[in-house]
Amino acid sequence: MKKKIQKTLNVMAGLLAVAVLLPALTSAATFTLSPSLGNYKKDDVITTSLYVNPGAGETITAIKISLSFPADKLEVSSYTPTTGGSILAHVGTSHDNTVGTIVDNVAFNPGITAPTKVATIVFKAKTDGVAPVSVSSDAKALDSASADKLASKSAIATFTVETQQETQPEVQPQTQPQTPPATQNKPKQATQPKAQLESEGDTQATTSTTTEETATTSTTTESTTTDEAQDQTASPAGLLNNKWALMFAIIAILLLVLFVAKRRKEN
């Protein structure tokens, strides 16, 4: 019984060791971009660094960089190869913004065993949407025996482009200007019924008419009084004139009588 248990434990330990060592045995070279994620607006600049990462225990002596990107959402503003260190040369470097590709061939001397930066890529965001950058199928990472150790040939970065929305001014609903009430700046007056107002209007009109008639009557009376006063003033003079006329008539008659009497005596 104890032997069976011990045998089972040994098998499990062996399987565990294989599971631990399997990633190391199967590890392979990869390409990475840093940063590999981000949200950007139209016309934003996206600056990234391209690395080649040898698998554990591997020595990479040459790589073929072949990347693709959506040309309607991104364009390459610049591709700057890294020089110096283990990098021997860059050959056939190019990028095409029409089809969305980047190509570069890099030789190392000595070969690299750790992550190494090989280029700086500057993208420009064009239109909204998700823009993945992927390793194409013809990319390679060769060891000293010219064996391709590149394991991952898929998307190595995903950028999200959002068209910048212009802020529209908020349109306020148009309202008709309100006419302030007539009594806004005047002392408040008691509200009177319409009928009462009309009655007061009629009363005022009647009062006005009566006042005008009274003024006319007064004027007429004054005129009559003035005429009577004038008549009274003129009456004594008229009587006096009549008396003088009568007196002259009497004198004329007397003189005529005396003249007639004198003529008779002479005859």
Side-chain angles (χ1 to χ4, degrees), residues 59-158:
T59 299
I60 302 299
T61 58
I63 60 173
K64 178 182 180 180
I65 299 169
S66 181
L67 305 179
S68 63
F69 59 90
D72 61 328
K73 296 177 177 61
L74 297 175
E75 69 176 32
V76 176
S77 297
S78 65
Y79 179 91
T80 306
T82 301
T83 58
S86 297
I87 297 177
L88 180 62
H90 289 265
V91 180
T93 304
S94 67
H95 62 271
D96 189 333
N97 284 320
T98 302
V99 296
T101 58
I102 298 173
V103 176
D104 191 12
N105 296 279
V106 185
F108 301 99
N109 186 24
I112 58 173
T113 58
T116 302
K117 180 179 177 180
V118 292
T120 299
I121 308 173
V122 178
F123 293 102
K124 178 181 178 182
K126 294 175 64 176
T127 58
D128 59 331
V130 177
V133 180
S134 303
V135 178
S136 301
S137 60
D138 58 340
K140 291 179 173 54
L142 305 177
D143 63 8
S144 56
S146 297
D148 185 7
K149 297 297 183 179
L150 188 61
S152 177
K153 297 182 181 180
S154 59
I156 58 174
T158 302

Side-chain angles (χ1 to χ4, degrees), residues 17-95:
V18 171
V20 171
L21 294 174
L22 186 60
L25 294 174
T26 59
S27 63
T30 59
F31 291 147
T32 58
L33 282 174
S34 180
S36 60
L37 297 172
N39 295 328
Y40 301 90
K41 302 295 184 182
K42 180 182 177 182
D43 296 329
D44 278 357
V45 172
I46 308 170
T47 302
T48 62
S49 297
L50 177 62
Y51 290 85
V52 56
N53 311 292
E58 294 175 349
T59 299
I60 302 299
T61 58
I63 60 173
K64 178 182 180 180
I65 299 169
S66 181
L67 305 179
S68 63
F69 59 90
D72 61 328
K73 296 177 177 61
L74 297 175
E75 69 176 32
V76 176
S77 297
S78 65
Y79 179 91
T80 306
T82 301
T83 58
S86 297
I87 297 177
L88 180 62
H90 289 265
V91 180
T93 304
S94 67
H95 62 271

